[in-house]
């Protein structure tokens, strides 16, 4: 076994690992997405299906799952306005409104009663300014597996924040997506690989399967 494989097995210990899905909500990656190009990239690349496989495996292996959802109050209170992205989102035909179907976790991702959904009303990161850090510490987390969308903004934010807070970030590169689709490869190679352990969905699944089966 290579040193890299042994390190990944250690990093993915179910007792100290949390799986984070980022903005895998109906209004982002679902069929009625506010961002159809991103939804298409997540689905046609297979990234969304791989997120679903990782979540199902986490449930089977005892790995805690957190779903990070971005939403907005109908009155806009607390929403950020200090970037072009936020202003553009206000004009989209589908709004990620609190309590709407748009902010529900998208199919085919399974959600168990043990999963936690962390909702944010502001900012770009699913970690900074949310409950995520406190929850991770309470779970005894050392490794955060980051999946979802988008590799343009929220995924690198999550990875940087996790690393800055002292966690090890693991990124299954085939379980994230961006627009344009080939930007994912550039982001992983030139940025995420510098700060996170980059792997594949199959490698994570194989490790969790082996740990579950006692191999």
């Amino acid at each position: 076994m290579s040193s890299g494989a042994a390190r990944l097995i250690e990093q993915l210990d179910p007792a100290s690992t949390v799986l984070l899905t980022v903005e895998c909500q109906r209004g982002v990656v679902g069929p009625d997405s506010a961002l159809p190009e991103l939804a298409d990239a997540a689905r046609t690349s297979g990234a969304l299906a791989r997120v679903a496989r990782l979540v199902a495996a986490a449930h089977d292996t005892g790995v805690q799952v957190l779903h990070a959802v971005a939403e907005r109050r109908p009155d806009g209170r607390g929403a950020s306005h200090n970037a072009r992205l936020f202003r553009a989102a206000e004009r989209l035909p589908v709004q990620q409104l609190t309590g709407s179907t748009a902010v529900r976790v998208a199919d085919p991702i399974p959600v168990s009663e043990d999963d936690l959904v962390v909702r944010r009303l502001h900012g770009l990161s699913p970690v900074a300014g949310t409950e995520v850090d406190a929850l991770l510490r309470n779970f005894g987390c050392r490794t955060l597996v980051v999946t979802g969308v988008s590799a343009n903004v929220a995924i690198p934010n999550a990875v940087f924040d996790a690393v800055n807070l002292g966690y090890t970030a693991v990124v299954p590169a085939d379980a994230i997506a961006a627009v344009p689709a080939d930007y994912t490869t550039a982001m992983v190679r030139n940025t995420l690989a510098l700060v996170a352990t980059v792997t594949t969905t199959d490698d994570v699944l194989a490790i969790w399967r082996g740990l579950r089966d006692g191999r």
Side-chain angles (χ1 to χ4, degrees):
M1 180 185 300
S2 69
S3 59
R7 183 171 62 252
L8 185 59
I9 291 172
E10 181 180 0
Q11 289 173 344
L12 292 175
D13 178 1
S16 56
T17 298
V18 172
L19 173 65
L20 179 71
T21 75
V22 178
E23 295 182 27
C24 291
Q25 57 203 74
R26 295 184 185 183
V28 175
V29 295
D32 299 319
S33 170
L35 304 164
E37 191 176 358
L38 178 59
D40 183 65
R43 290 180 175 276
T44 59
S45 68
L48 189 62
R50 294 186 189 98
V51 173
R53 291 172 61 203
L54 286 163
V55 171
H59 292 162
D60 290 342
T61 313
V63 172
Q64 179 65 48
V65 178
L66 296 183
H67 303 283
V69 171
E71 60 181 46
R72 178 184 176 86
R73 283 171 51 111
D75 61 9
R77 280 183 175 275
S80 299
H81 304 282
N82 58 333
R84 178 183 172 190
L85 178 64
F86 302 131
R87 296 190 293 272
E90 293 173 3
R91 300 191 295 270
L92 292 173
V94 177
Q95 293 290 305
Q96 314 299 318
L97 297 181
T98 301
S100 71
T101 59
V103 297
R104 295 181 185 173
V105 176
D107 294 332
I109 298 172
V111 180
S112 88
E113 62 182 13
D114 292 329
D115 294 359
L116 295 183
V117 178
V118 179
R119 305 180 184 277
R120 78 177 194 275
L121 293 173
H122 62 86
L124 300 170
S125 174
V127 178
T130 73
E131 297 177 280
V132 168
D133 180 38
L135 293 173
L136 295 180
R137 294 186 188 283
N138 288 346
F139 287 129
C141 176
R142 293 198 303 270
T143 298
L144 185 65
V145 180
V146 181
T147 66
V149 297
S150 72
N152 304 79
V153 178
I155 294 297
N157 264 269
V159 171
F160 293 150
D161 288 341
V163 172
N164 284 332
L165 289 166
Y167 302 103
T168 295
V170 171
V171 179
D174 54 358
I176 63 174
V179 175
D182 60 3
Y183 184 71
T184 302
T185 301
M187 171 57 73
V188 170
R189 178 186 299 123
N190 298 304
T191 302
L192 299 184
L194 302 177
V195 295
T197 299
V198 175
T199 185
T200 66
T201 295
D202 284 345
D203 283 348
V204 174
L205 295 177
I207 288 170
W208 283 346
R209 189 181 307 115
L211 292 171
R212 188 175 65 244
D213 296 344
R215 297 199 301 270

